[in-house]
Amino acid sequence: MSQYNLIIFDFDGTLAITHKAIVFCFTKTFENNNISPPTADTIIGTIGINLPNSFKILHPAIEESEIPEWVETYRSYYRTEGEKQVDLFPGTKQVLQLARQSGLSMGVFSNKHVSFVNLLLQKLKVYSFFDLIVGDNGKIIMKPNPAVFHSIIKPLFPELDNSQILMVGDTAIDLLFAKNAGIDVCWAAYGYGDRAQCLALEPTFAIDDISELAVFVHN
């Protein structure tokens, strides 16, 4: 029997294959500003970090005042082209169905803008599985800060002890969030996280395929 009653999923690199869309949109944004784009690998290395900070990493010379415009350019590419390049990892829907049949609650917490998280979950036909969807809305404090856990997630599930909640994510940011919140974490090693960095954070579990989650969700 699963010891967990609530599973919180990251989105990019955990539920969905999004690196093609992200690389495409960053590349187009750089080209739009007449600057040579970083390599695909460099861009993939920032997945999980919110857009303003990603631009600071990928383009250190960027002026603070330019960032909102770059972010909006990126999002406009994502809306028109990027979202078409996103797909679920094979086996994702089956795991979500199994968790739902077992009576588990499920949520998504992503540093991606909440409008895109909602849009993509609907497009990928998995939106209805989730009791809670949290993404960047410009107001809340994002991962790895545990503020969302204490102010949004925990109050929605007051009957649950922290030991009954599992975070599933692929980057060091997800693992740090779980540690900061005091909950167990399953590292999605198949995603976009840096292997050495993630292993150094000693996740509770690690999986190489999302289908391996079945063991945690089967009541």
Side-chain angles (χ1 to χ4, degrees):
M1 183 169 163
S2 172
Q3 74 178 78
Y4 301 110
N5 294 84
L6 169 63
I7 299 184
I8 305 161
F9 292 91
D10 171 51
F11 183 75
D12 294 295
T14 301
L15 292 173
I17 305 164
T18 55
H19 65 283
K20 288 182 224 161
I22 290 168
V23 168
F24 173 85
C25 295
F26 269 116
T27 301
K28 295 295 274 185
T29 303
F30 272 84
E31 288 171 354
N32 186 69
N33 286 283
N34 299 314
I35 293 169
S36 295
T39 65
D41 284 347
T42 305
I43 293 169
I44 290 168
T46 66
I47 291 178
I49 299 167
N50 67 18
L51 277 178
N53 287 329
S54 293
F55 278 121
K56 286 179 198 171
I57 292 164
L58 296 171
H59 182 35
I62 196 167
E63 299 283 342
E64 199 72 36
S65 60
E66 296 175 317
I67 292 174
E69 195 181 324
W70 282 58
V71 167
E72 198 35 62
T73 302
Y74 175 98
R75 286 182 178 151
S76 66
Y77 281 120
Y78 210 109
R79 274 188 286 271
T80 53
E81 300 293 327
E83 63 166 89
K84 298 175 195 163
Q85 303 177 43
V86 174
D87 207 352
L88 292 173
F89 281 101
T92 298
K93 198 171 273 189
Q94 290 86 331
V95 163
L96 297 176
Q97 281 166 338
L98 188 61
R100 179 44 50 92
Q101 285 159 8
S102 299
L104 272 71
S105 298
M106 289 181 285
V108 174
F109 180 24
S110 171
N111 280 357
K112 199 181 207 69
H113 196 274
V114 68
S115 63
F116 287 118
V117 179
N118 283 319
L119 176 80
L120 291 166
L121 289 172
Q122 283 165 342
K123 181 175 172 282
L124 297 166
K125 299 184 168 55
V126 291
Y127 181 85
S128 62
F129 286 109
F130 298 103
D131 307 280
L132 161 79
I133 296 163
V134 184
D136 185 10
N137 63 3
K139 297 188 189 87
I140 59 172
I141 301 166
M142 305 308 295
K143 295 181 284 192
N145 190 302
V148 161
F149 181 77
H150 299 301
S151 65
I152 298 174
I153 298 170
K154 204 72 200 311
L156 277 174
F157 302 93
E159 74 288 358
L160 294 187
D161 187 77
N162 280 16
S163 65
Q164 296 170 291
I165 303 171
L166 179 69
M167 175 78 201
V168 183
D170 64 315
T171 68
I173 286 168
D174 300 310
L175 275 54
L176 278 168
F177 166 74
K179 280 191 185 297
N180 293 339
I183 58 174
D184 284 357
V185 63
C186 178
W187 175 43
Y190 55 84
Y192 306 131
D194 178 273
R195 188 169 188 84
Q197 209 178 21
C198 290
L199 287 172
L201 289 166
E202 300 179 338
T204 323
F205 312 102
I207 53 172
D208 292 310
D209 189 288
I210 195 162
S211 62
E212 291 172 48
L213 267 183
V215 70
F216 300 110
V217 304
H218 197 51
N219 268 345

